[in-house]
Structure formats: structure tokens, C-alpha cells
Amino acid sequence: MNADSGKIKKRSWIRRLAVGIGWTTAGLILLVVGVLATGTLMLTPERLTRLVNEEASKNLEADVQAYNVRFTLWSTFPHLCVELDSLHVRSRTLDSVPEPVRRILPDSASFLLSCGSVRGGVNLLKLLENRIWLRDVEADSISVNLLAVNDTLNNYDIIPSHGSSEVPYFHIDGMRVRGGGNIAYTSMLSDTKAEVSIATASLMPAGQDNAYRLEIEGRVLAESGGLTVLNGFPFGLDGDVKVRFRPFGVSTSDYHVSLGELDGRVSMDMDIGGNMKLNNFSYRMEDFSVSDLMKMLPPGDYPAFERLDARLDLDAT
């Protein structure tokens, strides 16, 4: 056998391997499509709704009630698009608390989430690469109730631990909240309450890998020890947020934060996967009025500053 024939056999082996991988991948895709095609014929909205509720409730520490779940595949392939009319989630994490604790819980302690219609799509081909690729996710009128009884007991820790804290790779090609939303947080241990009313919220790709433009406008109510700290105070968030994986983390640079008539910029970097760690943080307000700052605080608490007329710069790290 000469050297040329050896090279030809080597190229043939590589080509056969490439063709084999290609056909194997195609076979997997066809298998997924076949299963979903069968599901399209057999999974009526009634059956699919029952299946979603049973599986979600079984795998979460919560009772999940979705209504009128349906999906489309052929007109949106490779995206599997799912819609549902409404969603309600009741937490089960507080069901077995001792009676003395149960007596002090608010009536809405087990309520975790509700919303109107939800729609969105997931790329099936990306799932074959172990990547979660979502597009055009929309939710109407979201209401979230987060309750912490103490440092270890709450109503929102509903996802069982599976031993791995690694966040899988994901990409979101558009997410919006329509019809506003409301997020409430209560800490019974510190006697603190916060409620955020969202007017608009959107998350869109920012043109760079793993970067998103996050825009939120709304108002916030905050109470501590029976004292109202903020009462319907307007706020706005607008800027780019970058995410990274392994470990999972987020970062911002000159992210715009408005509080009433005050405008600031936030730059920060935080690790979230594994051990949570704030690597750096800075906040800057330029040329702001003390009188505007006093509008954020309850009237009468700081009388010495209420008539102070000055403009300042503030940097905090």
C-alpha cells in the first residue's frame, strides 16, 4: 500500500465519521419532530393542560394551575410555541409548619404567583445542544407574593435541590410584561414590607453576546417597623445587563437608575452561581439637589435639611 492510498483511506474514514455524525443528528431531530407530531394529533388542549399541571405540581413544591394550554410547531419550526390563558401557583412550603407559626401567617401566605395569558417559544434545535433559547415571551398582569418567615422558611423556595447549582446556558430573544404587574415582599422577621408596581418591563438582546437591555418603570412602596419609608415612589431602570455562565453572574456598566427626580448610574459585577459574591459596586449621582433628595424621605423626619438649597455630586463604592 502506498502513501497516497493511505491518505485516501484516512480521508474516507474522516468523511464517514462526519457523515455518520450528521445523520445521527438528523435522526435525533426527526425523532423529536416525530414525537411532537404525534403529540400535535393526540395532545388536545384539555390533555396538555392536565399533563402540564400534573408534572409541574409533581416536580415543584407548589400546586400549579394553568388554563387552556396549547402549542404550535409546524408553522413556527424550529420553535415550539406555547400559549396558556392564565396561571396560578400556590406554594406548599408552608403547609407543614407548626401550629404556632401557622397562626401568625397572613391569609395570603401560600399564594406565590398569578398572571393572565402567557406565550413564548423555545428553539428545539438549540435544546439538542443543551441550550435554552427562548423568543417572544410575553406575560399579562403578573402578581407575585414573596413571604419570608425567617432565614430558612419562606414560600418561594419551591424548586427541589438536585445537587447542581450550575445555571444552564440560556438566551432570551425578547421578553415583555403587558398590562403591568405587582411584586410584593414581606419579611416577618424584620417586620419589613416592599411592594413594586410595574407599569412597563422588557428584556431585549443588546447586540452583544449574552447582553440584554433591561427597562422597567414603576412605583415602589416600602415599610419598616410600621413606618412608611416610600409611598408610591416612582423609579426607572434603563441600561444593558451582561450575563455569564460557569459560574453564572451578571454585570452592569453605567446602568441608569432614576428615583423620582434623581438620576444615578450603577456599575457592578456579581457572581450568582455557587457562592453568591458581589465583586464590585459603584453608584454615582451627579449634580443633584438636596431638596430633590428630601422628597424621597418622609416629611418632617429631617427638618434641618428641608430648607437646605444645594447641589451636590455623590459617589459610593
Side-chain angles (χ1 to χ4, degrees):
M1 179 183 295
N2 57 35
D4 290 338
S5 63
K7 290 181 180 179
I8 292 173
K9 286 190 175 182
K10 183 177 181 180
R11 287 198 297 267
S12 299
W13 178 83
I14 294 175
R15 184 169 62 250
R16 288 198 306 271
L17 177 63
V19 171
I21 292 175
W23 279 111
T24 301
T25 302
L28 289 173
I29 294 173
L30 290 174
L31 176 61
V32 172
V33 172
V35 171
L36 291 172
T38 304
T40 302
L41 299 175
M42 299 185 60
L43 285 179
T44 64
E46 293 79 10
R47 291 175 178 172
L48 182 59
T49 299
R50 183 169 61 252
L51 179 63
V52 168
N53 290 336
E54 290 176 354
E55 290 300 313
S57 299
K58 182 173 66 176
N59 289 283
L60 299 174
E61 285 293 319
D63 298 324
V64 178
Q65 190 68 49
Y67 294 89
N68 195 21
V69 183
R70 63 265 188 206
F71 72 92
T72 58
L73 173 63
W74 303 117
S75 61
T76 57
F77 189 82
H79 290 88
L80 173 68
C81 294
V82 179
E83 295 185 58
L84 55 91
D85 286 350
S86 63
L87 177 67
H88 188 278
V89 180
R90 175 193 175 275
S91 173
R92 296 197 300 263
T93 60
L94 303 178
D95 286 358
S96 60
V97 297
E99 186 60 30
V101 176
R102 185 180 304 279
R103 283 198 296 265
I104 64 174
L105 292 177
D107 294 337
S108 61
S110 295
F111 165 67
L112 182 58
L113 178 146
S114 70
C115 64
S117 63
V118 180
R119 61 189 63 84
V122 58
N123 190 313
L124 298 178
L125 300 184
K126 296 294 183 180
L127 281 179
L128 296 177
E129 304 172 7
N130 293 321
R131 295 182 170 215
I132 301 173
W133 201 282
L134 305 177
R135 77 165 191 181
D136 301 333
V137 179
E138 295 183 350
D140 295 337
S141 306
I142 293 178
S143 180
V144 180
N145 176 54
L146 307 175
L147 173 69
V149 179
N150 51 42
D151 293 337
T152 59
L153 184 62
N154 57 65
N155 75 337
Y156 46 84
D157 190 12
I158 64 171
I159 302 177
S161 175
H162 295 292
S164 175
S165 60
E166 190 173 281
V167 177
Y169 181 88
F170 65 83
H171 174 83
I172 302 174
D173 194 6
M175 178 180 291
R176 296 178 181 85
V177 174
R178 304 194 310 178
N182 188 78
I183 302 174
Y185 172 79
T186 302
S187 172
M188 298 180 63
L189 186 64
S190 62
D191 192 18
T192 301
K193 297 180 181 179
E195 185 172 332
V196 178
S197 297
I198 299 174
T200 61
S202 66
L203 182 73
M204 305 297 293
Q208 304 178 41
D209 288 343
N210 302 325
Y212 301 91
R213 187 163 195 87
L214 175 63
E215 300 181 8
I216 303 177
E217 290 185 356
R219 293 179 176 271
V220 58
L221 168 70
E223 300 178 356
S224 181
L227 175 67
T228 300
V229 181
L230 299 173
N231 188 8
F233 198 80
F235 74 94
L237 307 175
D238 180 14
D240 291 351
V241 178
K242 294 183 178 180
V243 300
R244 60 180 180 273
F245 301 88
R246 297 186 180 181
F248 183 70
V250 297
S251 62
T252 65
S253 178
D254 283 338
Y255 190 85
H256 179 230
V257 178
S258 65
L259 300 172
E261 299 180 14
L262 302 178
D263 287 323
R265 300 282 174 173
V266 173
S267 297
M268 67 91 179
D269 184 275
M270 176 183 291
D271 292 332
I272 300 178
N275 295 324
M276 185 174 294
K277 180 175 66 173
L278 183 62
N279 299 312
N280 60 68
F281 177 87
S282 66
Y283 179 73
R284 184 180 76 254
M285 283 194 300
E286 295 181 351
D287 191 29
F288 71 92
S289 167
V290 174
S291 60
D292 289 339
L293 179 62
M294 296 307 300
K295 294 177 183 178
M296 299 175 59
L297 305 175
D301 284 3
Y302 303 93
F305 295 96
E306 290 181 355
R307 296 185 179 182
L308 182 62
D309 186 14
R311 304 196 69 85
L312 304 172
D313 293 342
L314 173 66
D315 282 281
T317 58

